[in-house]
Amino acid sequence: MLQSLIDFVRDHYRTNDFIPLHAPVFGGNEKAYVSETIDSTFVSSVGAFVDRFEQDMASYTGSPRAVATVNGTAALHVALRLVGVEPGDYVITQPLTFVATCNAIAYCGAMPIFVDVDRHTLGLSPGALAEWLDANAYRDDSGTCRRREDDRAIRACLPMHTFGHPADLDGLVSICRDWGLALVEDAAESLGSTYHGRHTGTFGVLGTLSFNGNKVITTGGGGMILADQAMWERAKHLTTTAKQPHPYEYVHDELGYNYRMPNLNAALGCAQLEQLEAYLAEKRQLAAEYAACLAGSDLEFVTEPEMCRSNYWLNAVICPDRDRRDQLLKTTNEQGVMTRPIWQLMNRLPMYASAPSGELTNALWLEARVVNLPSSVSR
């Protein structure tokens, strides 16, 4: 089966050379827009392409507004600050995620609480979330959610849409509303994915996107905050060093960040966004072909949850056990086809080992079995 999989990948990408996991494709107006930016001399954080990229992304996702940032982690950091996360607070998230999710929490001086994921979404489980809150939290007289053990505030809930597959948002939205938690969506991997016809990143108080070089579209490095008008104004202020408008004076009224996306990067993003629907169609076709190739094998292809449309950012399989996972990783990489295991659980990392967590049965099960397959757009 593994050789058949390798042969399929090589046939799809029509090469015997090394095949990466996810490489960018530049086949549109990228060079023209970047050259236009250079000619304008507005290559830094002020320029027409920044405004255009924000407006186009808000329109595409259905978000009222959008704020471009230097990367997705910066977008998450500011989003958590905007919903009031402060030093000493907790933020509930999933242990099966990229480290940036937890790092953004730590940048606020807060600590993650790890709650299990669902196997069918790979994202934060509403059932596990409700169970953990019932057993470990309460709401005080002001309505603030607190952890019983130390009375520290649990300020927000931060699910991540793993590999572009939407988490169970109906359940998460309902539980967060009942417990007074701000829902912030880490939609870094899910540009183009929808849940019941609505774009991920638009269900919570805020959502964030990433345009790293390995994402569905790239700005080289970049991110975005999806927000309403009020949050947009605050996000713009914080990401622009909290500088007050003035003809010539430097007036900064609070701790801010130089998190603005350069115009050069935004130019690249505008050209990439023009091709997004074509990219998504090809990625979904590749996913269907992977599913057909693996049908009847001992490798379970990860498919989009019901009532969802996934961008299939990274295709993935679930192996029957860790030994089979290790065999798949070794055989494919030795033959020049890049595959990767899913991330190590965040609660295993030294900086988060002391964070509270619930039962992580599904996360542990998936950690031992999930492998990502090459997922680049081939054109």
Side-chain angles (χ1 to χ4, degrees):
M1 178 62 230
L2 296 187
Q3 190 58 53
S4 295
L5 175 60
I6 291 168
D7 291 343
F8 165 78
V9 174
R10 292 210 170 279
D11 287 345
H12 178 81
Y13 289 106
R14 299 183 296 279
T15 182
N16 289 318
D17 295 335
F18 172 77
I19 298 174
L21 195 65
H22 199 289
V25 173
F26 304 112
N29 290 313
E30 289 89 351
K31 288 183 180 180
Y33 291 172
V34 170
S35 294
E36 183 179 334
T37 305
I38 293 171
D39 291 342
S40 76
T41 74
F42 285 94
V43 298
S44 191
S45 54
V46 175
F49 281 110
V50 175
D51 295 338
R52 174 177 164 183
F53 192 41
E54 290 176 338
Q55 292 163 6
D56 289 353
M57 192 59 66
S59 176
Y60 179 82
T61 61
S63 176
R65 302 300 294 265
V67 178
T69 60
V70 69
N71 55 53
T73 310
L76 271 179
H77 179 200
V78 171
L80 291 172
R81 269 210 60 189
L82 288 170
V83 298
V85 176
E86 299 176 348
D89 287 348
Y90 287 114
V91 175
I92 296 175
T93 192
Q94 58 201 64
L96 197 68
T97 185
F98 182 60
V99 70
T101 308
C102 297
N103 287 348
I105 296 170
Y107 295 164
C108 296
M111 179 177 285
I113 293 173
F114 296 115
V115 169
D116 207 4
V117 297
D118 283 327
R119 290 189 189 183
H120 67 289
T121 68
L122 311 183
L124 187 64
S125 168
L129 176 60
E131 183 178 339
W132 190 91
L133 288 166
D134 287 340
N136 297 280
Y138 72 97
R139 294 188 73 175
D140 66 16
D141 292 342
S142 69
T144 299
C145 182
R146 296 187 179 275
R147 184 179 176 225
R148 286 201 185 106
E149 185 170 319
D150 53 20
D151 291 324
R152 287 165 58 178
I154 306 172
R155 198 70 64 183
C157 178
L158 181 56
M160 196 268 286
H161 302 300
T162 308
F163 305 147
H165 300 301
D168 185 347
L169 285 162
D170 282 346
L172 295 173
V173 167
S174 176
I175 293 166
C176 288
R177 181 175 58 245
D178 291 345
W179 282 90
L181 299 172
L183 178 62
V184 177
E185 292 175 71
D186 183 350
E189 302 173 358
S190 64
L191 177 63
S193 298
T194 60
Y195 179 87
H196 290 219
R198 181 172 161 188
H199 200 283
T200 54
T202 64
F203 289 79
V205 180
L206 294 162
T208 64
L209 303 170
S210 171
F211 312 115
N212 190 36
N214 66 347
K215 294 301 189 293
V216 179
I217 68 168
T218 184
T219 58
M224 192 80 75
I225 302 170
L226 304 179
D228 62 17
Q229 179 66 29
M231 287 288 191
W232 174 81
E233 292 174 359
R234 285 283 297 138
K236 273 289 190 183
H237 187 59
L238 286 180
T239 57
T240 315
T241 65
K243 185 178 182 296
Q244 291 279 10
H246 193 280
Y248 50 85
E249 292 284 3
Y250 294 94
V251 181
H252 306 265
D253 60 0
E254 61 179 311
L255 176 64
Y257 309 95
N258 189 9
Y259 280 173
R260 301 166 294 181
M261 177 183 285
N263 201 37
L264 274 171
N265 299 76
L268 194 64
C270 288
Q272 288 269 286
L273 186 55
E274 291 173 349
Q275 303 165 85
L276 177 56
E277 284 304 308
Y279 289 173
L280 293 175
E282 182 168 334
K283 290 178 74 63
R284 290 179 60 79
Q285 179 61 35
L286 174 59
E289 292 174 5
Y290 266 129
C293 172
L294 296 166
S297 77
D298 64 347
L299 304 177
E300 177 189 348
F301 185 71
V302 177
T303 58
E304 61 195 3
E306 291 185 8
M307 304 303 295
C308 296
R309 178 181 182 269
S310 176
N311 65 8
Y312 284 96
W313 170 56
L314 285 185
N315 291 293
V317 292
I318 300 174
C319 301
D321 52 41
R322 185 180 289 273
D323 287 344
R324 182 62 162 160
R325 183 204 77 156
D326 292 347
Q327 180 190 30
L328 170 57
L329 290 166
K330 183 175 185 294
T331 301
T332 51
N333 282 284
E334 284 180 347
Q335 295 196 36
V337 174
M338 182 185 286
T339 58
R340 286 290 182 267
I342 204 168
W343 314 280
Q344 185 176 13
L345 297 189
M346 293 298 102
N347 59 301
R348 296 187 189 277
L349 303 184
M351 56 281 202
Y352 302 121
S354 62
S357 66
E359 294 292 328
L360 305 179
T361 305
N362 290 334
L364 288 163
W365 189 88
L366 290 164
E367 179 194 35
R369 292 168 172 81
V370 174
V371 173
N372 289 124
L373 306 175
S375 303
S376 306
V377 171
S378 61
R379 67 190 182 89

